[in-house]
Amino acid sequence: MLCRGRVVCGVLGLVSSSRAAMATAAGSYPWRTKMQNGVEVDVDYPGTAVERLRSVLQNVALLKGKLDGPWPEVRSALLAAGGLKEDHSTSHAFNDDNHCDLTTMREDVSFNSNSKGAVAQISRQNVLGPHIRGASLPELGAGGSWSTCTNGAHLTPPNDVAHVQFTSRIAFKLVWVPPSFDEFVLVDDDGQELQRGKPTGQLPPLILRQRNYELVKGGKYAAAADEIAESCKRGLNGFHGGDKFQVLGA
């Protein structure tokens, strides 16, 4: 059983603001950039649509308290925050185990494929450009958005579609939290928590939610989910060390 409320460590501050969350509040970009031909470019992942990723993080910051409703409404909110239309081409997004990375990529890399097989278990003909162009909402900035595949994200550095095929950071990743997998956490490219939600109604099948976690288990993107699970476990076992642990909203 997963605890409904958050367990917050009053002394150690287990629930803390991530670098991305703090940067978003300040209206800045969390990672190093440089100007190249008049365009702001991410130094380490130059395929990232920087302005667009910044817009997505700002949208995600506004989702607090809006991710606990019916799953279809929550998924719609995630798509909109990520700059994606809700149509047939995005019907898989966040609805299975794998397509749970919201990636913002520059237009000049959006037609990249996995032709050399650099991303394991992904088709060498993984051409997403037409879908990205058709489904991306332009008001978030230049480039496009897509729900790319998570597999390979457990490695360091990540060997997934976003980071390898598109040389792009993810704006956020959805990870279902063990052991009940009825709550999820959104994490940024560093694996830091952005938001969490406990949707209601018909969720993606349990086995897909379990597999989603397994895809990141052992890597940095599982850390926030593991921390939530461990914090809830401590909370369910009662208070420890006086008032050190407090259960909120239980």
Side-chain angles (χ1 to χ4, degrees):
M1 176 181 178
L2 193 62
C3 66
R4 177 63 186 88
R6 295 190 182 191
V7 180
V8 181
C9 175
V11 175
L12 299 178
L14 289 179
V15 178
S16 60
S17 297
S18 72
R19 183 175 63 163
M22 291 187 289
T24 299
S28 61
Y29 186 76
W31 300 281
R32 295 184 303 152
T33 64
K34 64 180 180 180
M35 297 304 295
Q36 184 173 306
N37 298 323
V39 177
E40 189 176 13
V41 177
D42 188 291
V43 172
D44 298 308
Y45 289 98
T48 307
V50 171
E51 178 188 0
R52 195 171 182 86
L53 190 149
R54 184 185 288 115
S55 296
V56 173
L57 289 179
Q58 291 171 344
N59 287 344
V60 170
L62 299 176
L63 292 178
K64 187 173 183 178
K66 300 178 181 179
L67 300 177
D68 297 331
W71 171 244
E73 296 179 11
V74 170
R75 198 183 79 88
S76 295
L78 294 175
L79 289 172
L84 281 172
K85 300 175 184 177
E86 187 169 4
D87 60 18
H88 178 72
S89 72
T90 60
S91 60
H92 62 296
F94 310 114
N95 255 338
D96 61 14
D97 54 342
N98 205 11
H99 294 91
C100 294
D101 290 358
L102 194 291
T103 303
T104 60
M105 69 290 288
R106 291 171 50 164
E107 185 175 7
D108 59 344
V109 304
S110 64
F111 281 79
N112 286 3
S113 68
N114 188 42
S115 60
K116 296 182 180 180
V119 185
Q121 301 178 10
I122 295 294
S123 169
R124 289 174 179 260
Q125 299 178 344
N126 190 41
V127 180
L128 300 173
H131 304 293
I132 294 169
R133 177 177 289 175
S136 296
L137 300 172
E139 54 265 34
L140 270 69
S145 299
W146 196 248
S147 56
T148 56
C149 291
T150 295
N151 55 293
H154 65 294
L155 300 173
T156 303
N159 194 63
D160 51 28
V161 170
H163 295 90
V164 176
Q165 181 172 328
F166 295 121
T167 62
S168 172
R169 296 186 186 276
I170 59 167
F172 66 83
K173 182 189 298 288
L174 182 150
V175 180
W176 291 96
V177 179
S180 299
F181 302 100
D182 59 358
E183 180 176 13
F184 67 80
V185 60
L186 302 181
V187 298
D188 67 15
D189 195 67
D190 289 332
Q192 299 293 313
E193 179 179 345
L194 295 172
Q195 297 287 2
R196 67 178 76 169
K198 190 179 177 72
T200 60
Q202 186 173 349
L203 307 179
L206 176 59
I207 189 160
L208 296 183
R209 287 177 275 142
Q210 292 170 328
R211 288 177 181 172
N212 163 265
Y213 171 76
E214 290 296 324
L215 285 172
V216 297
K217 185 177 180 180
K220 66 179 180 180
Y221 296 117
D226 291 340
E227 184 175 279
I228 293 169
E230 181 60 28
S231 297
C232 289
K233 181 180 179 181
R234 286 196 296 264
L236 291 172
N237 287 335
F239 295 104
H240 303 280
D243 62 351
K244 183 177 181 181
F245 295 97
Q246 180 183 7
V247 180
L248 300 181

